[in-house]
Amino acid sequence: MLVGAAVYLIGLWNAQMQLNEKGYYFTILMYGLFSAISLQKSVRDRLEDIPVTGLYYMLCWLSLGLAIGLLAVGLWNAAITDSEKGFYAMAFLLSLFGAIAVQKNVRDLQAAFRHEPLTQPLQS
């Protein structure tokens, strides 16, 4: 997650575009990361029978779709080269994947530490 976000932000910092465009792409990255983490959490909660309202679950999916869609529209209309567009798209998707993986691993570690280790060997 950090690699994808850092590369995206470094590219954005060095980009030859107006400040309002940089702000748009920065906001899309933050919105995308938040929505990906929120969606992963709500999906995991449902799998573990933790109550999640249907409305919140659908809003998570909608938010992630909107973040990806807004990036796609922004890049489609951007006055930058195709290689730059590909760079931003791949760094964005790498960041989203990393955010989901980090959230999953943190939750798995927390679940592992909640269980106490066996003090007696199992008998068959």
Side-chain angles (χ1 to χ4, degrees):
M1 179 181 93
L2 292 176
V3 171
V7 167
Y8 183 95
L9 292 173
I10 290 168
L12 198 56
W13 181 267
N14 293 321
Q16 298 297 319
M17 58 178 72
Q18 294 181 14
L19 191 56
N20 63 336
E21 291 177 283
K22 290 182 179 186
Y24 174 81
Y25 290 112
F26 175 75
T27 303
I28 293 300
L29 176 66
M30 295 299 112
Y31 179 44
L33 291 174
F34 177 79
S35 63
I37 290 169
S38 187
L39 176 61
Q40 195 280 335
K41 183 183 179 334
S42 63
V43 166
R44 182 85 178 256
D45 284 350
R46 282 186 154 205
L47 289 173
E48 294 176 356
D49 294 326
I50 298 171
V52 176
T53 64
L55 178 61
Y56 184 77
Y57 184 70
M58 291 309 297
L59 283 173
C60 290
W61 276 108
L62 178 66
S63 290
L64 185 62
L66 279 173
I68 293 170
L70 287 169
L71 181 76
V73 168
L75 290 177
W76 182 267
N77 294 308
I80 56 178
T81 65
D82 288 344
S83 62
E84 286 177 291
K85 291 178 182 182
F87 166 81
Y88 286 115
M90 293 310 296
F92 181 79
L93 294 175
L94 177 65
S95 298
L96 295 185
F97 175 77
I100 292 168
V102 166
Q103 165 67 10
K104 180 192 177 310
N105 291 336
V106 165
R107 191 147 171 186
D108 287 346
L109 284 173
Q110 287 175 344
F113 286 119
R114 269 188 250 132
H115 302 305
E116 296 194 18
L118 294 173
T119 56
Q120 299 175 4
L122 295 175
Q123 297 176 359
S124 354

